[in-house]
Amino acid sequence: MVELTFNIIFSIILLPFNLYCSFWIFKEVLNLAGITFREFLEFTSHVTFGSGRHSLKRRQRFLFRFFAEKSSKPEKSRKILYLYGISTLPGLAALILAEYGAVSNHSDKVKYVFIGNLILILINIGLVVAGRIYRRHHPLDEKTAEILEAKRTKEKEEGRKSRKKNIIVYTIVGAFFMTVLIGFNLGIAGVFSEIQPTHNKEQTINTKNISFDDVNTILLKKGFETANIPTTYWFYDENKLTNVTAGIKGNVKFEFYEYTDSESTDGVYNSISYNILQNTELNEQTKHETELTDGGKMFTVTQNGAYYFAMYKNNTVIYAYSPENSNEIHNILIEIGYLS
């Protein structure tokens, strides 16, 4: 969950980062019009575009019309505006990545979001490099450069008194929107419920009444794929098996079996344990068992770099396996209240 949280936050941070890396392209359009960004804001402050699906098109038409009137090279400005629109797509992609990390149940989603973030970083770095190369080969003419420099110097002098105030205001507003975006996506991903103290989880989950629906919900929250996952030992005491759920996440699998009563779950557990340690003596099997204080048994063994687990408790049986150093199984058992 820590990796997922980091990647979601990083994806969202890539949105303003992309705007920063691509802004030089819009600045080139401003340069061709001989105006500063502050002047542009003053020229357009009275313009409203409304809301809805047509507002974006209205904004685009306004920008093309505005720079067609102001630019010394209208056709070039139009092409650069198109290029600027394309350059901001990585910002949109970053938001989509964050959403994917928040809502997807794919077992490898953290890896995909991480790879996507790396690709977007490289694209944004490429935008910065492209800007420096472009400026080197397309310098401003001396007259335009002098005019713009004089305007920026004047704006800097005029805004000196309110500069600190503006920085504070923009920082607070930006931080607010970033916090909302991050909080919204982490909330969808279930991160906040994941980091609640263990004793709170125990209060909300009655271990005697744990059901396959509860387990399925927990598996989904932890990033497991649960749809149409086959189970390994469904045929043991099949006539009493009422419900079963299973989840896969990478090389980790967790299976939860629910029976009509607790009379034969120990037999199912013994069959599973014996199957894991095939061709071994019974006394060898008991070396890997632990008696649970409130009834039931737990079986664990590591072989060939894999960790195998079996448990029965009340009318339920669990079978699971994972890589040797993984804590996934233990964390799930804590979540459902079977271990502390």
Side-chain angles (χ1 to χ4, degrees), residues 67-333:
F67 285 109
E69 296 173 357
K70 299 288 183 179
S71 178
S72 60
K73 298 179 180 180
E75 184 61 27
K76 185 175 182 180
S77 293
R78 191 173 71 86
K79 291 180 180 179
I80 296 178
L81 276 174
Y82 274 121
L83 183 62
Y84 176 65
I86 294 172
S87 72
T88 59
L89 291 179
L92 175 62
L95 279 182
I96 294 173
L97 266 182
E99 292 292 324
Y100 170 76
V103 304
S104 175
N105 293 321
H106 197 282
S107 60
D108 290 327
K109 67 178 181 181
V110 175
K111 180 178 71 175
Y112 294 149
V113 175
F114 176 74
I115 294 172
N117 285 336
L118 286 181
I119 293 172
L120 291 178
I121 289 173
L122 293 175
I123 292 174
N124 284 305
I125 292 174
L127 284 172
V128 174
V129 174
R132 293 184 178 180
I133 296 174
Y134 182 90
R135 174 51 47 223
R136 190 181 306 155
H137 291 87
H138 300 82
L140 285 173
D141 62 86
E142 293 184 7
K143 184 177 179 180
T144 302
E146 288 176 3
I147 293 173
L148 289 173
E149 183 61 29
K151 287 182 178 181
R152 292 182 183 125
T153 301
K154 182 180 178 182
E155 290 174 356
K156 188 179 295 184
E157 289 296 328
E158 293 175 348
R160 189 181 299 276
K161 294 181 180 180
S162 58
R163 184 179 180 185
K164 289 183 179 180
K165 180 182 177 181
N166 291 338
I167 291 175
I168 293 173
V169 172
Y170 294 149
T171 300
I172 292 174
V173 172
F176 171 76
F177 282 108
M178 290 296 292
T179 301
V180 170
L181 273 175
I182 291 172
F184 176 74
N185 283 280
L186 292 184
I188 294 176
V191 170
F192 299 128
S193 60
E194 178 75 11
I195 61 177
Q196 292 295 317
T198 303
H199 67 272
N200 287 341
K201 295 174 183 175
E202 290 175 349
Q203 291 174 358
T204 59
I205 297 178
N206 186 334
T207 60
K208 293 184 179 180
N209 297 323
I210 192 77
S211 70
F212 80 103
D213 280 327
D214 299 321
V215 176
N216 187 75
T217 299
I218 291 169
L219 290 175
L220 286 173
K221 186 174 69 174
K222 289 184 172 294
F224 281 73
E225 180 66 40
T226 63
N228 302 317
I229 303 299
T231 52
T232 310
Y233 297 109
W234 58 269
F235 51 86
Y236 286 158
D237 207 9
E238 184 182 0
N239 60 320
K240 287 188 176 183
L241 182 63
T242 56
N243 293 299
V244 62
T245 187
I248 290 180
K249 181 181 178 181
N251 294 323
V252 182
K253 187 174 186 182
F254 191 94
E255 301 178 6
F256 181 88
Y257 300 83
E258 189 176 80
Y259 294 86
T260 55
D261 54 54
S262 57
E263 293 180 359
S264 59
T265 51
D266 59 336
V268 175
Y269 159 84
N270 286 328
S271 298
I272 294 174
S273 303
Y274 178 77
N275 188 69
I276 295 172
L277 285 178
Q278 292 181 11
N279 303 320
T280 59
E281 298 295 332
L282 182 61
N283 61 346
E284 181 68 21
Q285 179 177 329
T286 58
K287 291 180 181 179
H288 300 278
E289 285 185 335
T290 302
E291 295 275 352
L292 303 178
T293 55
D294 52 350
K297 288 182 180 180
M298 180 174 67
F299 172 88
T300 60
V301 65
T302 299
Q303 51 186 10
N304 300 322
Y307 173 77
Y308 293 90
F309 177 91
M311 170 191 277
Y312 81 92
K313 185 181 179 71
N314 300 323
N315 67 320
T316 62
V317 175
I318 293 172
Y319 165 69
Y321 61 82
S322 70
E324 184 175 352
N325 297 321
S326 174
N327 293 319
E328 286 278 8
I329 295 173
H330 187 264
N331 292 338
I332 296 170
L333 294 169

Side-chain angles (χ1 to χ4, degrees), residues 24-34 67 71 77 80-81:
W24 69 267
I25 302 177
F26 187 72
K27 192 175 179 181
E28 287 300 316
V29 183
L30 295 175
N31 290 341
L32 289 173
F67 285 109
S71 178
S77 293
I80 296 178
L81 276 174

